[in-house]
Amino acid sequence: MRLISSGRLHATFEFGDLRVISLRDGYIDMPPTRLRDEDGRPLDELPTTVPLAGGDLRLSVNAFFVTDGTRSILIDTGASDVWHDPTMGLIYDALDEAGIDRAQVTEVAITHRHEDHVSGLVAPDGSEAFTKLERVWIGAGDLSVFTGRLEPIRDRVVLVSEEVAINDWTTAVPTPGHTPGHTVYDVRSGTGHLLVWGDTVHVPTLQFDQPNVSWELDGDQAQARAARAALLQRLTRPHHFVAGAHLDSPGIARVTPSGDGYALEYLAPPIG
C-alpha cells in the first residue's frame, strides 16, 4: 500500500493492481460521554492521549473509492446535507478533487444505516447523487434506512445476510453490533487485504489501545465489542490494512499488537 497523491479532501493509494482513494466528507464533534466502559457507563476519565476540540471528540468522516481501472465501488457516501452542518457533506467536492466523475459510480457499498454513511446517495438538491447507480449493498438488518428521501433507491438495494463476493476483489463480511446490518468490506489485491469498516472504531486514539471501550450508539455494545476484537485480531495478519470511516483522514493504516491492545500506524499524515 503506497500513497501516490493527495489533496485537501482526498488521498490516493496504490494497492497492488487496485487504486484506493480516500474521500473526506468532513468531521463531526461528539461529547466524550459517548464512550462507554464494559458495563455501559460513561468513562470516568479520558486518557490525556485523547485530543479534544472545545471539550468534544472530533471524528473524521471518510468514504473510500476502489477501482481496478475497469470496475469500481464506492464504500459509504457521507452525510450530504442531512445534519445541516458546514463541516460535513464534502464528499462531492472530494470526488471532484480526486478526478472521479459521479457518473462513474455504478456500485455503492454501505457499511451501515447511519446518516453520515448512507445519506450521500441523495444530493442536497434532492436528486440522486450518482445518476448511473445500479446496485447498493447493505447489511440485511439495515434495510429500514431506505425510506423517505432514500425510498427511490430501494429497488436497487442488494441485501447482505452472509459473507458474499461483490466482485472479483471485494467481499462483504457481516459484523453486526453497532447496527444489526453493520458490514465490513474486505478488498483484496495481489499484495494483501484492506478491511474497510464503518463504526468499528470511533476514537482511534483510545479504542485501539483499549478495544473494550464501546460507543453509546452501538445498538448491542457486547456484540460490537466482540466484532471489534475479531477484526483487530484479523488485522494483525501479514499484509492486512484497515480503512476506517472515523479514523483520522485519510484513514488508512496498519495494525500491530501492543501490550493488551493494538497500535495504529497511519500510511499517510492527516489531511484535515
Side-chain angles (χ1 to χ4, degrees):
M1 181 80 74
R2 180 174 69 91
L3 178 70
I4 56 177
S5 67
S6 64
R8 185 177 67 90
L9 297 174
H10 89 284
T12 301
F13 295 82
E14 182 184 73
F15 184 43
D17 48 354
L18 303 177
R19 291 291 184 274
V20 179
I21 303 176
S22 172
L23 303 162
R24 181 170 170 82
D25 193 60
Y27 67 85
I28 50 176
D29 290 340
M30 293 283 186
T33 52
R34 294 281 196 208
L35 291 164
R36 299 301 170 101
D37 65 19
E38 291 187 65
D39 294 319
R41 298 172 301 199
L43 297 186
D44 292 332
E45 187 176 356
L46 281 182
T48 57
T49 53
V50 179
L52 297 176
D56 287 330
L57 302 162
R58 179 156 292 178
L59 280 61
S60 290
V61 180
N62 311 308
F64 300 93
F65 181 85
V66 187
T67 182
D68 64 5
T70 302
R71 300 188 64 178
S72 61
I73 191 163
L74 175 63
I75 303 176
D76 280 350
T77 64
S80 188
D81 63 336
V82 298
W83 281 2
H84 308 289
D85 190 328
T87 69
M88 293 283 288
L90 304 178
I91 190 172
Y92 312 121
D93 293 333
L95 287 163
D96 289 343
E97 182 183 277
I100 301 169
D101 184 347
R102 280 197 249 166
Q104 183 182 344
V105 178
T106 60
E107 295 226 30
V108 170
I110 300 296
T111 59
H112 65 290
R113 67 190 182 198
H114 288 161
E115 291 176 332
D116 52 325
H117 300 263
V118 69
S119 299
L121 288 165
V122 176
D125 66 3
S127 65
E128 289 193 19
F130 308 107
T131 57
K132 303 296 185 182
L133 184 65
E134 296 175 2
R135 293 191 292 185
V136 179
W137 301 80
I138 194 170
D142 286 356
L143 177 62
S144 61
V145 74
F146 287 95
T147 58
R149 63 187 274 161
L150 295 178
E151 176 70 33
I153 298 171
R154 191 182 180 104
D155 64 345
R156 281 159 283 172
V157 170
V158 181
L159 297 179
V160 175
S161 57
E162 60 185 2
E163 191 166 316
V164 61
I166 291 178
N167 56 34
D168 293 341
W169 35 265
T170 304
T171 298
V173 181
T175 54
H178 180 64
T179 65
H182 193 277
T183 301
V184 167
Y185 296 93
D186 181 6
V187 177
R188 302 174 307 282
S189 77
T191 59
H193 292 252
L194 176 68
L195 302 185
V196 185
W197 68 31
D199 284 19
T200 303
V201 165
H202 289 82
V203 183
T205 52
L206 176 62
Q207 288 179 287
F208 284 91
D209 183 54
Q210 299 183 41
N212 284 338
V213 173
S214 290
W215 191 246
E216 180 186 10
L217 301 181
D218 289 337
D220 184 322
Q221 291 188 10
Q223 192 177 35
R225 189 179 297 113
R228 180 165 50 256
L231 287 167
L232 288 170
Q233 183 59 40
R234 182 170 176 170
L235 282 164
T236 63
R237 298 173 184 173
H239 312 298
H240 276 64
F241 304 89
V242 63
H246 298 308
L247 302 188
D248 296 335
S249 295
I252 295 180
R254 60 171 55 91
V255 175
T256 55
S258 177
D260 294 331
Y262 299 86
L264 186 69
E265 179 189 353
Y266 287 109
L267 301 190
I271 60 176

